[in-house]
Amino acid sequence: MKNDKGSVSIFNIAVIVASLGYFVDIYDLLLFTIVRVPSLRELGLPQSEIDAGAGMLLINVQMVGLLIGGIFWGIVGDKKGRLSVLFGSILIYSIANIANGFVQGINGYLLWRFVAGFGLAGELGAGITLVSEILPKEKRGYGTMIVATVGVSGAVAANLIAKLVGDWRICYFIGGGLGLCLLVLRVSVMESHLFNEVRASAATRGSFLALFTSRERFLKYLKCMLLGTPTWFVVGILVAFSNKFAAEMHVKGNVNPGDAIAFCYAGLVLGDFASGLISQLWKSRRKVMLLFLVLTAVMVTVYLNMYGADMWVFYVVCFLLGFSVGFWAIFVTIAAESFGTNLRATVATTVPNFARGMLPLISILFIQLQTYFTFLQSGAIVAAICIGVALITAWKIEETFGKDLNYLEEV
């Protein structure tokens, strides 16, 4: 699609497919969080095993799939093309979703959650890379803003559908069906012209190890990952264990973590839209990251000091917490803009998955600190570390707004 000036429109088919692909991606990830316990109960597992064994094993297996898939799809994206990843990842996680709805035991569930994680790992990075390379440099932020905003709203849809449908198997079928429908749209998407140019050259493409062979390149890669840490701390610790935090602070009423996650993700949708829009208006990625990280620090402080608050106030703060970490669009865009065309998909695909992969490490630190500190104090210490590191990183990182992406990394 073209606009009146002849430049590529921000609402072209690549942006639409990338947005809907990420929508189904987030739908599946949150749906699994919502239906994990009731599905395991229906499969005949006792609550003690769900809490201590099978439940956590499922989460870890999915995370392994995300990490391995992130590396695999990133390399494929730079070697074979961005569209190869969009097609392959959508097909795999759609099949895995449908298969999840047919499982009859824990072994089958473990297998298909690994396959789902593997497939889901490629969607966001490939989509952001393609959109960044197709759109004019002045409009890239609008495109990635749309991808992230539409994508994160998949979490709200998952929560709503889970409540309306009730049957966890049908919820999985819906996710798989949505993914397969996307494959029809994908046929109309054109490959990135920047990738086509580098494919015709002799340049080395998709070398994951190349990210570690240069000190400067590795530090840049590490900075990109660390920027995303606060998002997963907020979602994976503060909101996921919101009932325990609420109990410690004697919040009035019984806080439901599922509802807290829904409020948080609703805030994330608006946050991703706002951060992307402000980035375009300010013509800066770095300044917006600093702004939202400061806002995150403020909201985490408010969250950890809600002693005796009403339950509705607690949920409002969860919404605002979600808004404050709604910089996922900016975070992934910075990663895509920071590296040359021959490594861009590898970076943009591995960075968000490795940022997600830091959650188990954050969780271990949080649990270990509780040996010496209270539940609330442990949360505050981990928050200070995650947000502090991200703030320092955002202060030091290169400004990438308007950067010309037509260049290669010397590998």
Side-chain angles (χ1 to χ4, degrees):
M1 294 172 63
K2 304 281 183 182
N3 62 18
D4 293 336
K5 295 182 179 180
S7 59
V8 181
S9 167
I10 60 172
F11 294 106
N12 71 75
I13 191 66
V15 175
I16 294 171
V17 171
S19 300
L20 295 177
Y22 190 38
F23 176 94
V24 181
D25 179 314
I26 294 295
Y27 170 93
D28 179 78
L29 286 173
L30 190 69
L31 178 66
F32 171 64
T33 302
I34 294 170
V35 305
R36 177 173 54 88
V37 173
S39 62
L40 287 173
R41 283 176 184 161
E42 187 177 313
L43 291 175
L45 272 72
Q47 189 63 45
S48 58
E49 188 174 345
I50 293 173
D51 292 338
M56 185 56 66
L57 184 59
L58 271 173
I59 294 173
N60 291 337
V61 163
Q62 177 178 271
M63 184 59 68
V64 171
L66 283 165
L67 294 176
I68 295 175
I71 298 172
F72 174 81
W73 293 117
I75 294 171
V76 170
D78 279 325
K79 287 187 177 293
K80 301 296 183 182
R82 289 56 166 133
L83 291 186
S84 299
V85 177
L86 279 181
F87 180 81
S89 63
I90 291 173
L91 179 63
I92 288 176
Y93 74 61
S94 297
I95 292 173
N97 253 334
I98 293 171
N100 268 283
F102 285 111
V103 296
Q104 299 299 322
I106 185 62
N107 290 334
Y109 213 172
L110 286 168
L111 169 64
W112 289 113
R113 282 326 297 171
F114 171 81
V115 175
F118 181 85
L120 291 165
E123 181 60 38
L124 177 61
I128 291 292
T129 301
L130 184 63
V131 168
S132 297
E133 292 179 342
I134 285 179
L135 293 181
K137 60 184 180 181
E138 299 82 7
K139 296 181 179 179
R140 282 199 298 260
Y142 288 125
T144 55
M145 173 190 75
I146 293 169
V147 171
T149 303
V150 173
V152 174
S153 65
V156 180
N159 188 64
L160 181 62
I161 289 174
K163 288 181 181 296
L164 292 176
V165 174
D167 189 326
W168 61 275
R169 296 183 185 274
I170 295 177
C171 291
Y172 276 129
F173 294 152
I174 290 172
L178 289 172
L180 292 177
C181 289
L182 267 179
L183 293 179
V184 179
L185 280 177
R186 178 259 175 226
V187 174
S188 304
V189 182
M190 301 295 290
E191 183 59 88
S192 156
H193 67 284
L194 292 181
F195 173 76
N196 284 334
E197 289 176 8
V198 75
R199 177 161 54 183
S201 72
T204 300
R205 309 192 308 272
S207 173
F208 180 65
L209 293 178
L211 297 171
F212 305 92
T213 55
S214 162
R215 182 176 182 275
E216 180 183 355
R217 194 154 48 224
F218 170 70
L219 289 176
K220 185 166 58 172
Y221 182 61
L222 181 62
K223 288 176 186 176
C224 289
M225 278 193 292
L226 293 175
L227 285 176
T229 305
T231 297
W232 291 99
F233 162 71
V234 167
V235 174
I237 300 295
L238 297 186
V239 180
F241 297 101
S242 54
N243 56 330
K244 294 185 178 181
F245 280 102
E248 289 279 324
M249 294 183 290
H250 304 291
V251 172
K252 299 170 185 174
N254 295 318
V255 170
N256 184 327
D259 292 333
I261 288 173
F263 276 99
C264 177
Y265 270 94
L268 266 163
V269 172
L270 292 181
D272 271 314
F273 181 84
S275 62
L277 181 60
I278 295 170
S279 172
Q280 288 298 120
L281 296 176
W282 285 6
K283 300 186 184 305
S284 173
R285 314 281 187 231
R286 182 172 163 272
K287 289 179 182 177
V288 174
M289 279 299 309
L290 287 167
L291 170 67
F292 272 72
L293 286 170
V294 169
L295 182 59
T296 301
V298 171
M299 291 315 306
V300 169
T301 302
V302 172
Y303 177 92
L304 294 174
N305 287 279
M306 284 194 292
Y307 294 94
D310 291 328
M311 187 168 64
W312 71 268
V313 175
F314 187 87
Y315 284 140
V316 168
V317 171
C318 287
F319 172 85
L320 294 174
L321 257 180
F323 181 88
S324 74
V325 292
F327 46 75
W328 203 242
I330 302 298
F331 156 65
V332 184
T333 303
I334 288 172
E337 293 176 334
S338 294
F339 289 81
T341 308
N342 54 328
L343 290 180
R344 188 167 296 129
T346 300
V347 171
T349 306
T350 54
V351 159
N353 287 299
F354 283 3
R356 287 168 175 166
M358 288 185 187
L359 181 56
L361 299 178
I362 293 171
S363 300
I364 291 171
L365 175 61
F366 178 58
I367 291 169
Q368 291 300 316
L369 284 172
Q370 290 172 46
T371 306
Y372 309 98
F373 302 96
T374 67
F375 195 78
L376 284 172
Q377 288 171 340
S378 300
I381 293 170
V382 178
I385 294 171
C386 292
I387 299 172
V389 168
L391 273 169
I392 294 171
T393 301
W395 185 262
K396 297 285 187 181
I397 205 162
E398 165 195 16
E399 177 59 69
T400 60
F401 183 90
K403 184 178 179 180
D404 185 357
L405 299 187
N406 190 15
Y407 71 98
L408 301 177
E409 296 287 335
E410 295 183 6
V411 179

